[in-house]
């Protein structure tokens, strides 16, 4: 018991608020998002905590790059936990190549198991994780693309896709899905032949920086005939200034002159949608991602039970002005 007490003191150097309440746990899992100050990953952490409360020997820790999708910071954080002797890792991948070479090879050497959630490793790197839990990101992109069709006003219809980091696996899959849906299955950058064309300089890449994301959106909206704006993750809508900045465009959004489609349905996004500052949002299940990932990892670490599947796909939901109050639950 004394040895265990010393071990917990070592972990107490981390911020106390990132711990679940299971103080006397023998196992510790770290949930690492692409960014830390993101309600999406905070919900995933709450899911991990929820599972930890169903067992008597698990603590969840939450971490990630502070402000944006910084591949180097994510690797440094993951490597730090590996060297501390963490029992398992739940990771949303920013850059698969960098993450594997910088940290996951070391985790494999040390026998530390990994579940990816939200954003999987590239297929060539699947041996470094037990399973993936989250959205089928290609299908999610297809859903976003199909949703855009109801807002088409021109032929060809200009569209601008906004993404995060250029190398992030799940976001690139979503872009592929959007293009697949709008090119009648041909794929590739939209060139007008299918009735859709990608706007000059798009896709826009934000690195997950909220200020840059909102600035990019504002630039597009100020064009005389703005293209349909489609964000494959929350980005600009996660910016606390979104509501204020978009207010002058409210009537044009409400009248369908401006179209803003976005992935994710966090509370701040639903507030924008309910105020006619967004056209439509398609959301995921981050809480369930964290909960199911923790459960799969726990059964492997505790009982040696490997996940039966390589991928565990969760469904998604559609939010608009008519159902914004009931379309999802945020934790």
């Amino acid at each position: 018991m004394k040895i265990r007490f010393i071990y917990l003191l070592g972990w107490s150097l981390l911020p106390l608020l990132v711990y679940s309440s299971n103080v006397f746990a023998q196992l510790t899992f770290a949930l690492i998002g692409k960014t830390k100050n993101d309600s999406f990953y905070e919900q995933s952490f709450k899911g991990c905590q929820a599972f930890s409360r169903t067992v008597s020997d698990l603590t969840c820790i939450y971490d990630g790059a502070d402000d944006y999708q910084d591949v180097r910071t994510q690797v440094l954080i993951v490597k730090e936990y590996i060297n501390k002797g963490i029992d398992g890792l739940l990771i949303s991948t920013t850059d698969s190549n960098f993450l594997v070479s910088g940290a996951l090879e070391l985790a494999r050497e040390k026998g530390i198991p990994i579940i990816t959630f939200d954003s999987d490793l590239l297929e060539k790197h699947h041996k470094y994780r037990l399973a993936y839990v989250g959205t089928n990101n290609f299908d999610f992109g297809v859903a976003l693309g199909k949703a855009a069709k109801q807002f088409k006003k021109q032929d060809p219809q200009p569209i601008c896709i906004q993404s995060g980091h250029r190398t992030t696996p799940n976001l690139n899959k979503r872009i592929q899905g959007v293009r697949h849906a709008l090119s009648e299955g041909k794929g590739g950058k939209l060139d007008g032949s299918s009735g859709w064309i990608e706007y000059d300089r798009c896709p826009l890449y934000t690195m997950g920086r909220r200020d840059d994301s909102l600035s990019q959106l504002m630039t597009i909206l100020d064009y005389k005939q703005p293209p349909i704006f489609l964000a494959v993750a929350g980005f600009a809508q996660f910016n606390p200034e979104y509501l204020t900045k978009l207010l002058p465009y409210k009537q044009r959004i409400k009248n369908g002159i401006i179209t803003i489609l976005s992935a994710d349905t966090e509370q701040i996004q639903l507030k924008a949608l309910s105020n006619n500052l967004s056209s439509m949002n398609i959301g995921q299940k981050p809480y369930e991602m964290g909960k199911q990932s923790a459960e799969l990892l726990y059964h492997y670490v505790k009982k040696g039970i490997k996940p039966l599947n390589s991928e565990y796909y969760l469904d998604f939901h559609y939010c608009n002005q008519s159902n914004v109050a009931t379309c999802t639950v945020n934790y």
Side-chain angles (χ1 to χ4, degrees):
M1 190 69 180
K2 184 177 180 181
I3 294 174
R4 184 59 190 164
F5 179 69
I6 293 171
Y7 175 76
L8 285 173
L9 277 177
W11 283 107
S12 67
L13 295 174
L14 295 166
L16 292 177
L17 58 86
V18 301
Y19 281 89
S20 67
S21 59
N22 197 350
V23 179
F24 300 105
Q26 291 95 45
L27 298 175
T28 307
F29 294 166
L31 186 146
I32 313 295
K34 294 177 200 167
T35 52
K36 188 175 181 180
N37 62 340
D38 191 317
S39 60
F40 184 97
Y41 298 117
E42 289 169 357
Q43 287 200 72
S44 297
F45 175 55
K46 289 177 182 178
C48 185
Q49 289 178 301
F51 173 74
S52 76
R53 289 192 290 269
T54 69
V55 295
S56 60
D57 55 356
L58 176 63
T59 289
C60 295
I61 295 172
Y62 175 60
D63 215 331
D66 285 337
D67 296 314
Y68 68 99
Q69 295 171 8
D70 185 342
V71 298
R72 288 172 175 79
T73 298
Q74 185 178 58
V75 166
L76 289 172
I77 290 170
V78 172
K79 197 170 182 179
E80 178 183 356
Y81 283 106
I82 292 169
N83 287 327
K84 285 179 179 292
I86 200 82
D87 296 296
L89 288 159
L90 311 173
I91 304 174
S92 177
T93 306
T94 300
D95 184 301
S96 188
N97 289 308
F98 203 77
L99 184 60
V100 167
S101 63
L104 300 195
E105 288 178 350
L106 177 62
R108 198 177 190 204
E109 289 174 13
K110 291 180 174 288
I112 298 173
I114 292 160
I115 297 280
T116 55
F117 73 99
D118 174 52
S119 180
D120 198 4
L121 297 170
L122 296 173
E123 187 173 354
K124 66 181 179 180
H125 296 143
H126 282 186
K127 66 181 179 181
Y128 292 97
R129 53 77 160 163
L130 292 170
Y132 163 76
V133 179
T135 307
N136 181 318
N137 286 289
F138 179 82
D139 289 352
F140 192 49
V142 169
L144 287 163
K146 287 182 176 179
K149 291 183 178 181
Q150 64 187 282
F151 300 99
K152 185 178 181 182
K153 299 179 286 291
Q154 302 178 48
D155 193 0
Q157 171 65 53
I159 188 168
C160 181
I161 299 171
Q162 185 184 61
S163 188
H165 197 284
R166 290 177 182 271
T167 62
T168 300
N170 69 326
L171 301 183
N172 288 337
K173 283 286 186 182
R174 292 178 193 178
I175 293 173
Q176 290 174 19
V178 171
R179 288 172 171 168
H180 179 88
L182 298 180
S183 67
E184 301 175 355
K186 296 176 183 177
K189 189 164 184 175
L190 302 168
D191 60 7
S193 61
S194 64
W196 293 81
I197 187 166
E198 291 187 53
Y199 210 70
D200 291 345
R201 298 184 292 109
C202 297
L204 302 173
Y205 292 96
T206 68
M207 298 287 286
R209 292 186 174 100
R210 296 175 184 181
D211 288 346
D212 291 349
S213 303
L214 185 55
S215 176
Q216 288 175 356
L217 172 59
M218 301 302 295
T219 298
I220 293 294
L221 296 186
D222 284 336
Y223 292 153
K224 187 175 181 180
Q225 291 185 307
I228 289 175
F229 188 87
L230 191 156
V232 296
F235 304 132
Q237 293 185 343
F238 290 156
N239 191 310
E241 294 186 4
Y242 180 91
L243 296 173
T244 303
K245 295 282 190 180
L246 269 289
L247 199 57
Y249 303 90
K250 179 175 181 175
Q251 198 58 46
R252 294 173 69 196
I253 296 170
K254 189 175 181 178
N255 293 341
I257 298 170
I258 290 174
T259 299
I260 301 173
L261 301 173
S262 181
D264 298 331
T265 51
E266 298 300 291
Q267 199 58 44
I268 189 172
Q269 295 177 282
L270 296 181
K271 186 174 182 180
L273 186 61
S274 66
N275 282 282
N276 290 293
L277 300 178
S278 178
S279 306
M280 186 176 184
N281 289 66
I282 304 181
Q284 306 175 80
K285 295 186 173 181
Y287 178 87
E288 286 79 3
M289 290 181 195
K291 187 175 181 180
Q292 188 170 350
S293 296
E295 183 175 4
L296 289 170
L297 193 56
Y298 177 83
H299 288 313
Y300 178 76
V301 173
K302 189 74 174 180
K303 305 172 185 177
I305 301 173
K306 290 185 178 181
L308 294 176
N309 303 317
S310 178
E311 291 89 15
Y312 291 81
Y313 292 135
L314 304 177
D315 59 5
F316 39 86
H317 48 270
Y318 297 78
C319 295
N320 51 46
Q321 281 83 14
S322 65
N323 71 350
V324 66
T326 59
C327 61
T328 189
V329 175
N330 283 306
Y331 294 86

